[in-house]
Amino acid sequence: MAIKTKPTRHTTSPARDVFLKQKIATKDKVPHVITVNQFNKKQLDELFQRADQFREWDRSFESRREIATMHLGRQLCSLFYEPSTRTRLSFETAAVKLGMGLVSTENAGEFSSAIKGETLEDSISVLDNYGYDVIVMRHNEKGAAKRATKVSKTPIINGGDGAGEHPTQSLLDAYTIYKNFGRLNNTKIVLGGDLKNGRTVRSLTKLLAKFSNNEFVFVSVPELQIGQDIKTILKRKGIKFVETSDINKAVKDSDVVYWTRLQKERIKNLASIPKKGFVMDVNTLKHMPKKAIIMHPLPRVDEIHPDVDKDPRATYFEQAGNGLYVRMALLDGVLRA
Ligand code: NCD
C-alpha cells in the first residue's frame, strides 16, 4: 500500500479558520504561559472573544464536529505533581474538544520517576523529545513551571506552581468578572481566605492591578495575609488596598467577593491558625450588595457554607464552567503562536 507523504488537507471551514491570525504573544520564542504578567489588555480581550466563540460553537453538534478537527494530529501532555480536578480535567476536555490527542499523568510525584529521584528538569527534557505540542503542568514548588521552560522547546502552560502563580485560573476569573460586569476596571474586589499560601489570589491581584481604578480588600487572619511582594506591586502602582479580619465590613460596597480555602498542604503548624477567621455564611450575605458576585476557584471545603449556593450572587460553579472555554481559547492561541 502506498503511503502518502503529505498529510491530507482538510477543507476550509469558518469555524477553523476565523482565528488563524490570533496568537498568544510572549517575549519568549516558545509561547509558554507562566505568569499573568505576560498578558496585556488587548490579549485578554481577544482571549475572551475566542472563549465566547468556543462556547457558542460547543452548543451545536455540527460545529462541535468542526472544532474537533481544528487541532487534529496535535497532542497535549498533562503532567500534574499536585492534585487537581478542574484545571486538569478542563484542559484535557478542551484538548479533546479541539481534536487533540492526550497523554496524562495525574499524580506525577508518585507515578512518575520523580519518586525515584528524577529532577523536574530531566523529566521535562524527556517529554520535550516526545513531540508534544503543549505540556500543561502543575507542581508543588514555586517557580517550577519557569524552571521547566529552561529545558523545553515545547510550550509549557503553568497549571499552578506551589504558592506562586496560577495564571490560567486568573484568566478564567477575569473572564467571569468581565461577563458579569462588562469591565475589569473601577471594581472593588474583596479577596478572602488563606492569602499567604493560595496562588489564585496572588495571580488575580496581579492581573487586575493592570486595570485602572480597582480597589482591593484582603480579608484573612493576621497569620495568613497576602504576601509582601503583592503589596509592593500595589503600592508601586498607587493602587488602593486594605487588610482586615472583619468579613462583614469588608464585603460592604463590594463588586466581587473572591473566597478561598485554607491551603492545609502548605501549612506546617495547622493548630496555630484560627479557623473562624474567614468562614462565609448566609449572615455574611446580608452585608453584601445585591449586584455583587461571590467567586471561589474551588475546591470549597468549609469556608463557604453550602446554604450560600442558593443565593443568586453565588457564581463559583458558573466560574468553573467558564474555565473550559477560556482554556480552549488559550490552547488554540498557544498552538497557533
Ligand atoms: C486552586 C489551586 O489549585 O490553586 N484550585 C484550582 O485550580 N481551581 C485553588 C485551591 O486549590 O485552593
Side-chain angles (χ1 to χ4, degrees), residues 252-291:
K252 200 170 167 283
D253 302 327
S254 58
D255 297 302
V256 175
V257 178
Y258 192 100
W259 230 237
T260 59
R261 73 179 170 96
L262 186 66
Q263 305 280 307
K264 288 188 185 127
E265 65 273 38
R266 304 193 207 290
I267 300 174
K268 283 195 191 95
N269 186 7
L270 264 180
S272 67
I273 310 293
K275 270 210 76 186
K276 280 205 102 181
F278 45 83
V279 176
M280 184 189 291
D281 56 22
V282 282
N283 182 48
T284 323
L285 298 175
K286 293 183 198 141
H287 301 268
M288 210 178 282
K290 277 215 164 65
K291 61 164 180 31

Side-chain angles (χ1 to χ4, degrees), residues 154-264:
T154 312
I156 302 281
I157 298 182
N158 181 6
D161 60 329
E165 276 220 39
H166 196 346
T168 70
Q169 178 70 41
S170 302
L171 295 175
L172 76 91
D173 293 341
Y175 175 77
T176 304
I177 296 171
Y178 188 76
K179 294 263 345 131
N180 278 275
F181 294 98
R183 62 171 201 273
L184 290 176
N185 59 354
N186 295 325
T187 302
K188 181 171 171 183
I189 308 119
V190 179
L191 302 124
D194 182 354
L195 309 179
K196 183 178 174 196
N197 301 297
R199 51 199 169 202
T200 58
V201 165
R202 294 173 51 78
S203 281
L204 184 60
T205 305
K206 283 205 224 174
L207 188 63
L208 294 178
K210 290 174 186 262
F211 294 82
S212 61
N213 219 18
N214 283 336
E215 197 184 322
F216 297 89
V217 182
F218 299 110
V219 188
S220 194
V221 290
E223 293 86 344
L224 300 175
Q225 274 294 359
I226 193 88
Q228 193 55 51
D229 57 333
I230 301 293
K231 288 192 263 188
T232 305
I233 294 173
L234 297 178
K235 278 186 197 151
R236 210 182 51 225
K237 293 185 166 208
I239 296 171
K240 219 167 125 187
F241 72 90
V242 288
E243 293 179 273
T244 176
S245 299
D246 188 336
I247 302 182
N248 293 346
K249 246 197 198 156
V251 300
K252 200 170 167 283
D253 302 327
S254 58
D255 297 302
V256 175
V257 178
Y258 192 100
W259 230 237
T260 59
R261 73 179 170 96
L262 186 66
Q263 305 280 307
K264 288 188 185 127

Side-chain angles (χ1 to χ4, degrees), residues 43-44 53 89 200 221 316 335:
Q43 284 172 310
L44 285 186
Q53 185 67 81
L89 292 184
T200 58
V221 290
Y316 24 93
L335 294 171

